[in-house]
Amino acid sequence: MGLPRGQLLWLLLLLAAACSGILFSLYSSAVARYPGPRSGARNATSSRAFVGHKASNAGTRKSLHCQHPLYLAIQKHPHFRALFNLSTPVLLSGALFTQELWDRLSQHKAPYGWQGLSRQDISSTLSLLNGSESSKLLAASRKPLSKCIRCAVVGNGGILNGSRQGLHIDAHDYVFRLNGAVIKGFEKDVGTKTSFYGFTVNTMKNSLISYGNFGFISVPKGQDLRYIFIPSDIRDYVMLRSAILGVPVPEGPDKGDRPQTYFGPEASARKFKLLHPDFISYLRERLLHLLHLGFFLNGG
């Protein structure tokens, strides 16, 4: 039995939110900030920052961190040049929370905004995301400037079963996984390395229940691993705040939960990223219909 249409579209959105942010970081080590055109987007990490950009004083290859950035490939392709808006902010941090941003996003329901959500919960959470790492997806690369960053996105659909791609996946600079990221018992196929784990609180908890029999009994952990919260509801902001503070969740459906159980005892603010609602809206407007079309064309 297939999923109801509404649930299907939401699942596709989650996949787009995680994987499109990853696409923007492929083959690029440029992580500088790029101010977008929207008010309140100052100091936001934009999608352009993840695909590489020309230095303001020159357009030569020597000015690029990566000699083959995805940004240039997009600009040369008429279809993708029209599809991508590289000034869209990807991550949300405390520096971006303004009255203007609140007023605008309060007009839209989650995950595209904050309509009906508690301003206190939003602002208190964002105030904890005030470090430089909160606005950057990738840390400064230690690779030579002439080298491109290589990323692997590992899904959960089972297509890698028997592929023996584990070593190849782990050889990438960054490996992204999401939701029910089953690894145990499938290391030869899916690898063991995890740099980023993306989820909503709802999908994370459901995955721990649904995929427990397949070995997914805890979310990935590691000193260098980062968690990407996809804000689908107020519970994501509340869980994120509790995780940073190291205290039990004080309210809502997750009341009493200890985030350390999921993310480890030393999960400081630098461990967490939060997708910007504007980025999720952008994915819906630009990319979701493509995933939806592809699903049905393949007999979904």
Side-chain angles (χ1 to χ4, degrees), residues 57 76 86 118 128 181 187 196 226 231 297:
N57 60 344
K76 293 177 180 178
L86 299 182
S118 163
L128 300 173
E187 293 87 349
F196 293 92
R226 299 293 182 263
L297 287 178

Side-chain angles (χ1 to χ4, degrees), residues 76-111:
K76 293 177 180 178
H77 195 288
H79 174 70
F80 288 110
R81 184 169 62 246
L83 182 63
F84 285 96
N85 177 6
L86 299 182
S87 65
T88 303
V90 177
L91 298 178
L92 183 59
S93 63
L96 302 183
F97 187 72
T98 63
Q99 182 64 45
E100 185 175 2
L101 185 67
W102 170 260
D103 291 342
R104 181 167 60 79
L105 292 184
S106 293
Q107 304 303 310
H108 308 284
K109 293 182 178 180

Side-chain angles (χ1 to χ4, degrees), residues 11-165:
L11 289 174
L12 289 172
L13 173 64
L14 294 181
L15 178 61
C19 295
S20 294
I22 295 161
L23 171 64
F24 293 146
S25 68
L26 292 177
Y27 302 107
S28 169
S29 59
V31 294
R33 295 174 181 175
Y34 183 83
R38 298 180 179 179
S39 298
R42 185 172 59 246
N43 292 330
T45 295
S46 70
S47 52
R48 185 170 185 171
F50 298 132
V51 299
H53 65 279
K54 295 180 180 179
S56 60
N57 60 344
T60 64
R61 287 187 176 273
K62 290 183 180 180
S63 68
L64 299 172
H65 286 278
C66 173
Q67 294 197 13
H68 303 284
L70 188 59
Y71 168 70
L72 292 184
I74 291 173
Q75 292 303 305
K76 293 177 180 178
H77 195 288
H79 174 70
F80 288 110
R81 184 169 62 246
L83 182 63
F84 285 96
N85 177 6
L86 299 182
S87 65
T88 303
V90 177
L91 298 178
L92 183 59
S93 63
L96 302 183
F97 187 72
T98 63
Q99 182 64 45
E100 185 175 2
L101 185 67
W102 170 260
D103 291 342
R104 181 167 60 79
L105 292 184
S106 293
Q107 304 303 310
H108 308 284
K109 293 182 178 180
Y112 313 112
W114 297 328
Q115 188 179 92
L117 304 187
S118 163
R119 175 167 181 159
Q120 175 59 31
D121 285 335
I122 300 295
S123 63
S124 60
T125 297
L126 294 182
S127 69
L128 300 173
L129 295 173
N130 53 14
S132 61
E133 286 202 14
S134 297
S135 61
K136 297 178 181 179
L137 180 63
L138 304 182
S141 175
R142 297 180 180 179
K143 295 169 67 65
L145 295 183
S146 61
K147 299 295 184 180
C148 297
I149 284 179
R150 299 175 66 249
C151 299
V153 184
V154 184
N156 308 316
I159 194 172
L160 288 174
N161 192 23
S163 68
R164 295 300 186 265
Q165 290 296 308

Side-chain angles (χ1 to χ4, degrees), residues 125-296:
T125 297
L126 294 182
S127 69
L128 300 173
L129 295 173
N130 53 14
S132 61
E133 286 202 14
S134 297
S135 61
K136 297 178 181 179
L137 180 63
L138 304 182
S141 175
R142 297 180 180 179
K143 295 169 67 65
L145 295 183
S146 61
K147 299 295 184 180
C148 297
I149 284 179
R150 299 175 66 249
C151 299
V153 184
V154 184
N156 308 316
I159 194 172
L160 288 174
N161 192 23
S163 68
R164 295 300 186 265
Q165 290 296 308
L167 291 178
H168 180 65
I169 290 171
D170 287 344
H172 288 73
D173 298 289
Y174 297 97
V175 178
F176 292 74
R177 304 181 194 269
L178 66 154
N179 297 331
V182 178
I183 294 177
K184 186 177 180 180
F186 301 93
E187 293 87 349
K188 292 183 179 179
D189 297 327
V190 302
T192 60
K193 180 177 180 178
T194 304
S195 309
F196 293 92
Y197 173 68
F199 59 96
T200 72
V201 173
N202 184 55
T203 59
M204 177 187 71
K205 286 193 166 186
N206 285 339
S207 294
L208 289 170
I209 295 172
S210 301
Y211 300 115
N213 292 335
F214 296 96
F216 188 69
I217 57 176
S218 66
V219 304
K221 295 184 179 68
Q223 181 178 356
D224 297 326
L225 188 147
R226 299 293 182 263
Y227 299 102
I228 303 177
F229 271 78
I230 304 172
S232 66
D233 201 349
I234 194 63
R235 67 189 297 195
D236 295 289
Y237 294 95
V238 174
M239 175 69 78
L240 175 54
R241 182 178 71 234
S242 297
I244 295 173
L245 295 175
V247 300
V249 177
E251 59 187 349
D254 308 301
K255 183 177 180 179
D257 268 13
R258 294 184 175 274
Q260 299 94 324
T261 303
Y262 305 113
F263 312 116
E266 300 179 358
S268 62
R270 69 184 189 87
K271 296 279 289 185
F272 300 103
K273 316 289 182 183
L274 179 66
L275 285 190
H276 200 301
D278 282 345
F279 183 61
I280 300 177
S281 295
Y282 163 71
L283 294 176
R284 178 195 62 186
E285 296 164 2
R286 299 294 184 93
L287 302 175
L288 185 59
H289 70 284
L290 298 178
L291 290 176
H292 193 205
L293 176 62
F295 180 86
F296 289 105

